[in-house]
Amino acid sequence: MKKLLFTLIVAMSFNTVTFAQYYANRHPKTKPHYVRNTYRYRNYSQQYYPTTYYGFRLGMGIATVHSDSPFLDASDPRIGLNTGFVIGTGLSRQAPLYFETGLFYTEKGGKSTFQGDRFSYGLNYLEVPLVLKYRYYAGNGLTVEPFAGGYLAAGVGGKIKDFGQREAYDSFSDDPYGFKRFDGGLRLGFGLGIRSLYMEASYDIGLANIGHDDFNATRTGDLNLTLGVNF
């Protein structure tokens, strides 16, 4: 009985291998229906299944300060550094919608001329972006990524430089001619991803009054141009 069972198993195995080879040779480009469906499902999942990504960013900002106060109005642009990291996570299985946040060091401010003297306003922040991003997969590793949201910022340093008097003051202070430490506003932008490389342009619209005078509104603005890498 054992010899007969062993003989049957060997014969069935041989026939199975022979049929598989015959089928492969006769239909080399044909895949079973369930294999094609599995491939399509996986391809769809790679694009739309919620995932998490991380990234580093480095760029420059072109910043201004618009104020009703003649002394604090720094509408001439000041170029500064912005650098940090981001983390994004998918929100939906049906659409490539992501929530992105992170932590940045950002140099804002501006320049002006007041009563014949030149002034430079340095406002350096730690910023937390809070944006919703739509990642459109254009193929060949290219993604188009418009986004919108906001940011929160805390001032960590900076100087107001009076070139006429050759003096410098702390930007964030309780002095009426200084700035409040906390800021926040809207962020709008557009990004492009090429596989792991990433580039974007965004604009921050300050909504908080960072001046101490409640009657003279003072708000920041900043155009950011950024390069980075995603993991």
Side-chain angles (χ1 to χ4, degrees):
M1 185 67 181
K2 292 182 178 179
K3 291 183 178 180
L4 179 60
L5 182 60
F6 177 76
T7 302
L8 290 174
I9 293 174
V10 171
M12 291 175 63
S13 301
F14 178 79
N15 289 335
T16 301
V17 172
T18 303
F19 176 77
Q21 291 176 344
Y22 170 78
Y23 185 86
N25 292 332
R26 186 174 180 180
H27 305 282
K29 297 183 180 181
T30 303
K31 294 183 180 180
H33 180 67
Y34 75 89
V35 173
R36 293 197 299 271
N37 287 343
T38 301
Y39 173 77
R40 290 173 182 172
Y41 175 77
R42 288 178 179 173
N43 186 54
Y44 179 82
S45 299
Q46 287 175 359
Q47 292 189 6
Y48 296 104
Y49 190 82
T51 56
T52 299
Y53 63 89
Y54 306 87
F56 293 100
R57 303 286 186 264
L58 177 64
M60 56 173 279
I62 305 173
T64 56
V65 177
H66 295 280
S67 178
D68 296 331
S69 167
F71 178 76
L72 297 181
D73 185 57
S75 54
D76 292 335
R78 175 180 183 265
I79 296 176
L81 171 72
N82 66 73
T83 183
F85 69 90
V86 299
I87 177 172
T89 184
L91 298 178
S92 171
R93 290 176 180 265
Q94 284 72 42
L97 185 65
Y98 290 78
F99 172 73
E100 184 177 287
T101 186
L103 183 65
F104 279 76
Y105 170 77
T106 304
E107 297 178 347
K108 296 185 178 182
K111 299 178 181 179
S112 73
T113 300
F114 178 69
Q115 294 182 349
D117 291 338
R118 290 190 302 113
F119 287 82
S120 174
Y121 303 82
L123 306 174
N124 304 331
Y125 294 96
L126 286 180
E127 280 191 357
V128 176
L130 303 163
V131 300
L132 291 177
K133 176 175 286 189
Y134 186 89
R135 304 182 82 184
Y136 173 75
Y137 292 80
N140 296 322
L142 177 66
T143 58
V144 180
E145 307 181 20
F147 58 89
Y151 70 92
L152 298 174
V156 294
K159 296 290 185 181
I160 299 175
K161 296 180 180 179
D162 182 345
F163 290 90
Q165 300 296 323
R166 308 290 296 178
E167 294 181 345
Y169 315 92
D170 290 336
S171 296
F172 301 108
S173 67
D174 294 330
D175 189 284
Y177 296 106
F179 297 92
K180 294 179 181 178
R181 191 170 297 273
F182 295 100
D183 190 17
L186 300 178
R187 175 168 294 177
L188 304 172
F190 182 87
L192 286 176
I194 306 174
R195 301 189 186 279
S196 61
L197 298 179
Y198 180 77
M199 62 188 74
E200 77 171 30
S202 65
Y203 191 77
D204 291 348
I205 305 171
L207 298 181
N209 181 8
I210 61 172
H212 291 286
D213 190 339
D214 293 334
F215 297 96
N216 288 323
T218 301
R219 296 184 173 89
T220 59
D222 192 23
L223 173 64
N224 294 301
L225 304 174
T226 307
L227 297 175
V229 59
N230 287 333
F231 303 97

